[in-house]
Amino acid sequence: MKNVVFNLLGATLLTASAVSNAAAPVVDARDISAVQQQQTSQQNQIMAELIMQVNQLQQEVRQLRGQVEEQDYRIKQLTKQQRELYLDLDRRLQGGAALSTSETEELSSETADKGNNGSSNRAQQAYNQAFTLFNEQKYPQAKSAFKTFVSDYPKDPLASNAHYLLGQLHFSDKEYAEAESQFKAVYEQFPDTSIKDKAMLKLAQVQELKGDKAAAKATYQQVSKLFPNTTAGRLAKAKLDTL
């Protein structure tokens, strides 16, 4: 039995010695170099992709920054315009009976058109006399002349202008109830008149000065909605932003 054990031990030792003395596997240096080159190439490709992504993100950030700056500039310009419109509206509120240049030009143009399209000679002469008094700043006489005109020629095409100017004169004299009535008459009695937007804007101003802010706001909203591309519409929009 002992001999068998010794024999087995001897065989095991011989086997282990043989294994330990076996040659180690040979690794080719070229294979190692190829693997290293492949890893380096992959790393370079990843870095290149990352750099490309970073550059793309930087470009997008620059574009977004440019868009933000452009929007900021536009907002500042719009704010400036709104402020100028608001100041213009306030100047008109304090301007008395005198008309702005655009109002005078439009009324003069409409007077000529209406004079050629349905207004009688007598009505034309009566209106011209009243308008001359207005331009000469003879306001009490002009007010009396326009009152006579709308009484004598209530359906004449020039009556819408006369109501508007009467409203302006009452407005200047702080006769707000009378001014409100005249401005309403402009577009209620003459719905096709080209000065409807101006009459409605004046009406809103009167309502505001009377202290009826709810009515003024509603009228301003109506003007800005119906006439968004006119001076009156833009003035109404600017005023709404302050109420």
Side-chain angles (χ1 to χ4, degrees):
M1 183 67 179
K2 289 181 179 179
N3 292 332
V4 172
V5 172
F6 285 128
N7 290 332
L8 288 173
L9 287 172
T12 302
L13 290 172
L14 288 172
T15 302
S17 176
V19 171
S20 63
N21 291 329
V26 178
V27 178
D28 193 335
R30 289 175 296 181
D31 293 339
I32 295 175
S33 177
V35 170
Q36 291 175 340
Q37 288 178 356
Q38 183 178 5
Q39 290 176 343
T40 301
S41 176
Q42 290 175 345
Q43 290 175 350
N44 290 339
Q45 183 177 356
I46 292 172
M47 287 297 297
E49 291 176 355
L50 288 173
I51 292 172
M52 185 181 300
Q53 291 176 4
V54 169
N55 289 337
Q56 184 176 355
L57 287 172
Q58 288 177 337
Q59 179 66 24
E60 291 175 357
V61 168
R62 284 193 291 269
Q63 290 176 350
L64 289 172
R65 184 180 291 116
Q67 292 174 2
V68 169
E69 290 175 352
E70 183 179 355
Q71 291 297 325
D72 184 58
Y73 174 77
R74 290 182 179 179
I75 289 172
K76 288 181 179 178
Q77 289 296 105
L78 288 173
T79 301
K80 181 180 178 182
Q81 291 174 5
Q82 291 289 81
R83 178 173 175 78
E84 290 174 350
L85 286 171
Y86 176 66
L87 292 175
D88 184 33
L89 185 58
D90 274 356
R91 284 193 294 269
R92 294 187 184 207
L93 281 170
Q94 304 298 329
L99 299 176
S100 67
T101 301
S102 62
E103 286 177 302
T104 301
E105 290 177 351
E106 184 163 356
L107 285 172
S108 297
S109 175
E110 188 164 292
T111 297
D113 291 340
K114 290 175 179 178
N116 295 327
N117 295 281
S119 186
S120 66
N121 289 334
R122 287 187 178 182
Q124 181 75 60
Q125 291 175 0
Y127 178 86
N128 288 344
Q129 290 173 358
F131 194 70
T132 297
L133 291 170
F134 183 90
N135 281 336
E136 292 175 351
Q137 299 184 10
K138 298 177 181 179
Y139 297 134
Q141 298 93 320
K143 184 189 288 186
S144 177
F146 280 125
K147 284 183 178 179
T148 299
F149 181 89
V150 296
S151 176
D152 292 345
Y153 307 100
K155 301 299 182 181
D156 191 90
L158 288 170
S160 62
N161 290 19
H163 281 296
Y164 182 85
L165 291 168
L166 260 179
Q168 187 77 1
L169 290 164
H170 285 300
F171 180 89
S172 177
D173 291 338
K174 296 182 171 56
E175 298 167 349
Y176 296 135
E178 292 85 349
E180 185 173 4
S181 176
Q182 294 300 326
F183 289 132
K184 284 182 177 180
V186 172
Y187 59 88
E188 288 180 349
Q189 297 182 25
F190 303 90
D192 296 329
T193 180
S194 66
I195 57 173
K196 180 178 180 178
D197 58 332
K198 292 179 173 56
M200 292 182 69
L201 179 67
K202 293 288 185 179
L203 174 61
Q205 294 172 357
V206 171
Q207 291 168 334
E208 185 179 358
L209 289 173
K210 285 174 63 180
D212 193 348
K213 289 189 176 181
K217 185 174 182 179
T219 305
Y220 281 130
Q221 288 174 335
Q222 192 175 9
V223 177
S224 65
K225 181 179 179 180
L226 293 175
F227 311 99
N229 299 319
T230 66
T231 299
R234 289 189 288 270
L235 286 169
K237 177 63 170 61
K239 189 63 180 179
L240 276 172
D241 292 338
T242 68
L243 292 179

